[in-house]
Amino acid sequence: MFGQDQFHSINSLLNNRFAEKNPLVAVHRGTGLGMIVENTSHAVTAALRSGADMVEIDVIQSTDGDFYVFHDGTEPENFGIDHLITTLSTVEVDELVYTQKTAAPRVHVEKLEHTLTSFPDVLFNIDRSWFYWDLLLPWLDQFDMTEQLILKAPPTQAAMDLLRAHPVKYPLVAIVSSQEQLAAVLEDPEINLVGVELLADSPAHAFCDPAVAKAFQDRGLLVYLNALNLSDGTVLMAGWDDNLSVTGNPDDGWGRLVGLGADVIQTDWPALLNAYLGRDIRGLSWQSSAHSMQRS
């Protein structure tokens, strides 16, 4: 079981999903391929139909305090603008149109409320939201989705203080590149720590030892590993990534993550990863996805 005993009921959905599948497949920003835009409900639906067990989304806040699903820093390629979306008002954000999907109907930045309420039983991994937790955490409470929303953040003092103070104990996956970074949050009774996202810049990193992952798991923490390839070239997990797995031998990429003991693998290629794991995804998630499509 992941997480402390006192948070058993909150973490039950995550633990039940893990009991059914190991490792879980988390999909980065949903599946934004073809004319489907990432970080939208349609991308979530595409990810579910590709066998996602969890969908990662990014959150930003307008200057008026409204929350949207978007990865800031990608404005030039998405909208052709050279300034951050976080400097814009709600009216200005609502006017933005994704330009790289020119053959599709006009697609606007999606409000977080729409994304969350469109999927009543999906596990969401919410990334890049810790900048706004003073307002976001109480805002999330209105949806009664505590079991579904897994927050991800580096364990900085400011972010952890906000989690400690908030009465609703959302599950947390801490992003770390060293074990020392976890010292302040391990077994903290006010923080519902369920896992660690391990970052390793090379195969020589200590996190590339399966014994390290096992030690985390023995403490009730899931091990979340990235197979992502980022546009800036940042290495997230020793270079055992999607590109290597898709274009070369997946044993040298995804296979290494499985061998390390990954409980969750985050990917941009969920269907191929599921195939590598020997899972038949035909027919998966179509009913729940149809529900979401009707509401999007």
Side-chain angles (χ1 to χ4, degrees):
M1 182 187 77
F2 300 125
Q4 300 176 50
D5 289 343
Q6 63 177 314
F7 302 123
H8 173 75
S9 60
I10 294 174
N11 301 331
S12 60
L13 180 60
L14 171 63
N15 282 307
N16 289 341
R17 295 286 173 84
F18 184 77
E20 297 168 358
K21 283 186 182 179
N22 177 14
L24 298 177
V25 173
V27 182
H28 182 226
R29 307 180 193 173
T31 299
L33 300 174
M35 292 297 109
I36 294 178
V37 176
E38 66 183 23
N39 272 321
T40 63
S41 291
H42 287 170
V44 175
T45 296
L48 296 174
R49 292 179 175 179
S50 300
D53 303 304
M54 180 187 301
V55 179
E56 183 256 12
I57 56 176
D58 302 295
V59 172
I60 63 98
Q61 185 180 38
S62 73
T63 58
D64 297 311
D66 289 308
F67 296 106
Y68 292 84
V69 184
F70 186 78
H71 189 292
D72 56 318
T74 65
E75 292 84 356
E77 57 263 42
N78 281 303
F79 311 122
I81 61 176
D82 58 3
H83 50 277
L84 292 174
I85 193 173
T86 52
T87 65
L88 303 180
S89 68
T90 293
V91 170
E92 291 171 319
V93 174
D94 287 340
E95 290 175 346
L96 292 174
V97 176
Y98 286 92
T99 57
Q100 86 279 29
K101 307 290 186 178
T102 55
R106 291 165 62 89
V107 178
H108 295 268
V109 185
E110 190 164 294
K111 286 192 171 178
L112 178 59
E113 178 178 4
H114 176 78
T115 308
L116 296 182
T117 57
S118 294
F119 302 91
D121 57 357
V122 169
L123 283 172
F124 283 105
N125 181 208
I126 299 183
D127 197 8
R128 298 183 62 79
S129 70
W130 58 88
F131 310 104
Y132 321 109
W133 278 358
D134 56 336
L135 297 177
L136 178 64
L137 294 177
W139 182 87
L140 288 173
D141 295 347
Q142 67 183 300
F143 301 108
D144 193 24
M145 297 175 69
T146 313
E147 294 182 17
Q148 289 178 246
L149 307 182
I150 302 170
L151 305 178
K152 186 162 66 174
T156 63
Q157 181 173 339
M160 296 305 101
D161 284 347
L162 289 170
L163 284 185
R164 290 187 187 98
H166 192 66
V168 179
K169 299 303 179 182
Y170 293 97
L172 170 71
V173 170
I175 306 170
V176 296
S177 55
S178 72
Q179 296 195 54
E180 291 72 23
Q181 291 173 295
L182 275 176
V185 293
L186 276 175
E187 300 178 6
D188 188 317
E190 297 301 323
I191 296 179
N192 182 12
L193 182 68
V194 297
V196 287
E197 179 181 300
L198 304 182
L199 304 181
D201 56 6
S202 78
H205 194 286
F207 284 166
C208 295
D209 181 352
V212 173
K214 180 64 165 52
F216 284 125
Q217 292 159 339
D218 288 344
R219 302 192 71 156
L221 299 176
L222 66 82
V223 172
Y224 191 113
L225 300 182
N226 270 298
L228 305 179
N229 295 94
L230 300 183
S231 58
D232 65 2
T234 299
V235 175
L236 295 178
M237 196 61 212
W240 302 329
D241 53 36
D242 281 340
N243 279 3
L244 177 60
S245 303
V246 171
T247 65
N249 186 343
D251 289 341
D252 297 328
W254 297 329
R256 296 298 296 268
L257 303 183
V258 172
L260 275 180
D263 298 304
V264 180
I265 297 176
Q266 181 164 279
T267 182
D268 283 315
W269 297 90
L272 293 182
L273 175 54
N274 272 293
Y276 175 73
L277 295 172
R279 298 171 180 169
D280 185 354
I281 65 170
R282 290 174 296 180
L284 286 182
S285 303
W286 287 84
Q287 184 173 359
S288 60
S289 299
H291 168 77
S292 68
M293 293 288 283
Q294 290 169 3
R295 299 187 59 176
S296 48

